[in-house]
Amino acid sequence: MAARMAMIATTIRSSIRVKPWVLIVQIPPLAGRWGARALVKLGFVLYAISLALIPLATNLWQLAVPVLLFGAANGFNVPSILTILNGYAPSQYRAAFMSLNGMLLRLGQTVGPVLVGVVVQLVGIAGSFIVSAVLALMMLPLLVPTLRPEPAIE
């Protein structure tokens, strides 16, 4: 039974990495229709929805929907943010912008789990997902002014 549960958990977890690549192929037509800014906003809303759904799952299979939504959010956000950065950065400094972006992402991957661990200690595991969902929604008002106007790519 434990081996079967581990296999299911591994399958669900590994699907997070597959979905962004499926969506990345669709990004150019979607970005052309709605713009990269709209896709970033959609990604953050999907992050919030997926994180809020995780504590509601009562069995392992119910985690599939939030994991799919989280992967879709990654699939929208990663290429859209890179497109936006590419448009904002002057061509002579583009490599530095991309490097700084990568460094900040790694910093978030390092510090984030520590901060969520503190939140888990304060409000429990289910509460940590709710707090993360609220933080994702709180990022939208901070993010929207930063993303205006739509950058022009050289």
Side-chain angles (χ1 to χ4, degrees):
M1 181 67 171
R4 183 171 181 212
M5 293 296 279
M7 183 184 76
I8 293 169
T10 302
T11 302
I12 291 173
R13 175 73 177 120
S14 65
S15 70
I16 290 175
R17 298 292 177 219
V18 173
K19 291 174 302 309
W21 295 110
V22 172
L23 282 174
I24 284 172
V25 182
Q26 300 301 318
I27 291 296
L30 291 174
R33 180 178 296 158
W34 295 327
R37 289 180 295 135
L39 294 179
V40 170
K41 294 174 199 173
L42 174 63
F44 272 89
V45 170
L46 289 176
Y47 281 143
I49 292 170
S50 68
L51 290 167
L53 288 175
I54 288 173
L56 301 176
T58 57
N59 65 46
L60 200 54
W61 287 109
Q62 289 177 349
L63 284 175
V65 171
V67 167
L68 287 170
L69 288 175
F70 196 87
N74 276 337
F76 285 129
N77 275 344
V78 172
S80 298
I81 288 172
L82 290 175
T83 299
I84 290 168
L85 279 176
N86 191 29
Y88 283 150
S91 58
Q92 67 269 25
Y93 298 116
R94 195 160 290 153
F97 269 68
M98 295 301 171
S99 176
L100 185 61
N101 176 59
M103 183 191 72
L104 291 174
L105 286 174
R106 298 310 164 260
L107 179 65
Q109 290 173 339
T110 303
V111 175
V114 175
L115 294 177
V116 172
V118 171
V119 173
V120 167
Q121 292 296 316
L122 295 173
V123 296
I125 291 176
S128 70
F129 286 104
I130 301 300
V131 168
S132 297
V134 169
L135 287 174
L137 289 177
M138 287 173 55
M139 288 299 295
L140 276 174
L142 298 173
L143 191 67
V144 171
T146 306
L147 297 178
R148 292 182 192 207
E150 190 81 30
I153 299 174
E154 297 175 11

